[in-house]
Amino acid sequence: MKTPTVLIIGAGVGGLAAAAHLARRGLAVTVVEKNARAGGRCDQFVHAGHTFDTGPTLFIMPRVFEAEFAALGTAVREHLDLQRVDPAYRLIFDDGRALALTGDLRAMCAQLEAFEPGSFAGFLRYLEEGHRHYHLAMRHLVDRDFRTAGDFFNLGNLPLLFSLKPLARHYDHMAAFFAEPRLRAAFTFQDVYMGLSPFEAPATFSMMPYTEMAHGVWYPRGGMYQVAEALLAIARAAGAEFAFHTAVERIEVRAGRAQGVVLADGRRLTADVVLANADLPYVYDALLPEAELARPLARKRYSCSTISFFWGLDRAFPALGPHTLCLCDDYRGNFESLARNQALPDHPSLYLHAPARLDPAMAPAGQDTLIAIVPAGHLGEGEASEQDWAAIRDQARQAVFQRLEQLGLAEVKAHIKFEVNYTPLSWRKRYNLVKGATHGLCHNLTQLGYFRPGNRHPRYPNLYFAGASTRPGTGLPTALISARLAAERICADLRPA
């Protein structure tokens, strides 16, 4: 009996994990990737001895990683040298006050009570709710492949409307726990991981601060790209083959099925099954022929983007912590400007990452590596597509320098040896992200669970999807789940009736 062949478009984390699952099940798997290396948005580059992760910098939801690596027949710690980061973040507010998010409850109590007397009790109640949300959401929403409407709309799921609080807005719901606006911000900024504003996100997402506090924020030695390297090694060991520098021009469809792909150089590759790990809206818009199926995706809500700066510094700055978040007092205004797709708020919140605090090998001896990330609107359409991203980038850079000065680190600017920067235009060009939206489709209520695009094409039954804009959603942990669910569906569909 002929071994079924699978062609995977894109070697992002979802594509790598899917390749590993399918190859382990005995399928003949080939992965084609337009870039020179695997990882997709989970990317990395090295320049002058400085190592930069260009995508995720936080290893969160470790229990998901443990379960998904176990599903691949291995243990995550066999591949990654993980260290817990505690405090996970240092939050800096406009008045210079700081809050270190730590697993040390005594330290948390002292800090929170200094901001708002009585707030530690609210914090404990918030963690209790987050624990409930995490376990319910993982079981009923995240680790589920809603193949039919009945899988989602049933009496068994009805209690989730009350237990998960999907109709309550996350920030507004924080009034039940904290009166101090800065504390509400401290435990809702994680919604950005989902490409959402906490003023729109469902209160369900209290699960994210909970898992960070309870399960920890971690860091793999060598950077987050080690996740992609580990998955690539697992997939290759299982027999998957990879072709890099191999861009796909289109998916060939005929007689109601995907036949394979046409590459940018004109070659044709055929397969029994095609799985696209490229950004889903890009697949529908650029790789498939039916414009009427691409249009509904184009009308969906997209996540924001980022302007990212990668700086090599000629001296070390030990005062730079590994993860520093500068949250502005106009927290609502920041998110509202992003929701309106304004390119950059006037006084943006931003994130600083100094990986050499966690792994000295990320910078040359006596020097430092610094990543600054400023959330920004995604690429617009029509008149909004004429944004001057060079000017917006310069505005973002100045905002970072102002924050560094606030932190007593004005000297950093004078010690920058080189800069590499990414804008929404970069994200679109490098990774085919529609609108340069770094998290793909966002996770508002109408794009969650069953309402999020599924992992099989509605017209071509042998064309599947894995990745950020499909179920269950964006982020490295969910990419692993997305890949497993797609692989399980492929294998089920290939099984003789």
Side-chain angles (χ1 to χ4, degrees):
M1 187 176 186
K2 177 179 174 290
T3 300
T5 56
V6 181
L7 185 63
I8 297 178
I9 304 169
V13 166
L16 292 169
H21 280 293
L22 293 168
R24 279 172 46 80
R25 287 167 169 78
L27 280 66
V29 179
T30 300
V31 183
V32 292
E33 165 59 50
K34 81 179 188 77
N35 290 325
R37 53 198 285 130
R41 279 166 275 193
C42 183
D43 207 350
Q44 188 178 82
F45 71 89
V46 179
H47 183 73
H50 298 264
T51 302
F52 301 90
D53 283 319
T54 60
T57 58
L58 299 158
F59 189 97
I60 59 173
M61 303 179 77
R63 293 189 179 182
V64 173
F65 281 93
E66 290 167 2
E68 295 306 318
F69 271 71
L72 290 169
T74 187
V76 67
R77 290 184 182 273
E78 290 183 12
H79 300 270
L80 303 177
D81 181 4
L82 293 170
Q83 59 178 305
R84 186 162 183 168
V85 184
D86 194 9
Y89 312 92
R90 185 166 176 252
L91 307 183
I92 307 295
F93 300 99
D94 280 350
D95 63 359
R97 293 185 71 182
L99 175 64
L101 297 188
T102 171
D104 182 338
L105 290 182
R106 288 186 179 180
M108 283 299 296
C109 179
Q111 292 183 94
L112 293 173
E113 292 295 318
F115 273 91
E116 177 190 340
S119 60
F120 184 65
F123 169 71
L124 294 179
R125 286 187 291 108
Y126 183 59
L127 288 186
E128 182 180 359
E129 179 183 89
H131 172 271
R132 183 169 65 253
H133 286 179
Y134 177 86
H135 290 282
L136 285 171
M138 292 302 297
R139 186 181 313 121
H140 295 286
L141 294 178
V142 179
D143 199 6
R144 291 287 305 278
D145 184 7
F146 299 105
R147 300 183 186 182
T148 68
D151 291 340
F152 186 74
F153 298 103
N154 57 62
L155 291 176
N157 281 344
L158 189 60
L160 298 179
L161 282 173
F162 306 97
S163 56
L164 282 175
K165 298 182 172 63
L167 302 181
R169 293 183 175 179
H170 195 184
Y171 187 87
D172 295 340
H173 181 60
M174 296 301 290
F177 308 100
F178 306 109
E180 166 60 56
R182 285 170 292 191
L183 295 186
R184 297 185 192 184
F187 299 105
T188 57
F189 72 83
Q190 296 87 346
D191 294 346
V192 172
Y193 303 161
M194 306 290 110
L196 265 184
S197 158
F199 298 94
E200 293 182 280
T204 310
F205 286 135
S206 63
M207 62 184 284
M208 298 307 297
Y210 161 76
T211 185
E212 290 183 345
M213 299 299 296
H215 306 150
V217 171
W218 299 76
Y219 186 79
R221 188 173 300 277
M224 287 296 293
Y225 189 69
Q226 296 305 304
V227 175
E229 293 272 31
L231 292 169
L232 177 62
I234 294 167
R236 278 181 163 155
E241 297 183 354
F242 290 82
F244 296 102
H245 295 293
T246 305
V248 171
E249 185 72 25
R250 70 178 184 274
I251 298 171
E252 279 203 305
V253 293
R254 190 170 60 255
R257 294 181 67 81
Q259 305 295 324
V261 300
V262 177
L263 302 179
D265 62 10
R267 288 181 294 150
R268 281 176 162 79
L269 302 178
T270 61
D272 299 312
V273 171
V274 176
L275 186 151
N277 178 229
D279 188 36
L280 185 71
Y282 172 81
V283 173
Y284 272 88
D285 182 59
L287 302 185
L288 287 169
E290 299 89 354
E292 73 274 13
L293 295 179
R295 279 193 290 269
L297 275 178
R299 291 194 293 268
K300 288 186 178 292
R301 288 281 306 279
Y302 286 73
S303 70
C304 64
S305 188
T306 68
I307 299 173
S308 299
F309 299 97
F310 307 97
W311 290 323
L313 309 181
D314 64 12
R315 54 155 284 200
F317 287 86
L320 275 170
H323 302 297
T324 304
L325 275 149
C326 300
L327 298 178
C328 70
D329 286 346
D330 189 13
Y331 190 63
R332 183 184 295 271
N334 252 244
F335 281 105
E336 285 180 348
S337 68
L338 294 174
R340 292 193 301 267
N341 202 31
Q342 293 179 351
L344 201 69
D346 293 332
H347 181 50
S349 296
L350 54 89
Y351 163 67
L352 302 169
H353 175 46
R357 295 297 84 72
L358 301 169
D359 181 358
M362 303 297 276
Q367 301 185 31
D368 227 333
T369 294
L370 180 60
I371 300 171
I373 298 176
V374 184
H378 57 61
L379 298 174
E381 297 174 353
E383 291 183 6
S385 66
E386 303 302 318
Q387 293 135 310
D388 183 349
W389 284 104
I392 296 165
R393 176 201 61 206
D394 293 345
Q395 179 188 348
R397 186 189 296 108
Q398 283 304 119
V400 176
F401 289 153
Q402 289 168 9
R403 288 290 192 175
L404 287 169
E405 185 173 354
Q406 176 195 15
L407 296 173
L409 294 165
E411 288 181 85
V412 166
K413 180 179 179 180
H415 290 275
I416 295 175
K417 296 192 298 181
F418 64 85
E419 172 185 296
V420 176
N421 60 70
Y422 288 5
T423 70
L425 295 171
S426 314
W427 299 115
R428 182 176 65 181
K429 180 178 180 181
R430 290 174 183 273
Y431 307 111
N432 289 335
L433 300 180
V434 171
K435 302 187 181 188
T438 49
H439 297 79
L441 299 179
C442 73
H443 290 72
N444 60 334
L445 189 59
T446 58
Q447 294 178 182
L448 282 174
Y450 177 74
F451 300 111
R452 201 165 185 82
N455 58 17
R456 191 175 73 175
H457 194 280
R459 189 171 294 176
Y460 309 118
N462 67 328
L463 176 56
Y464 300 83
F465 309 105
S469 293
T470 57
R471 299 174 197 148
T474 192
L476 286 189
T478 43
L480 295 173
I481 296 172
S482 173
R484 174 173 50 79
L485 295 177
E488 290 172 352
R489 188 167 194 179
I490 290 169
C491 292
D493 289 348
L494 288 174
R495 197 175 299 129

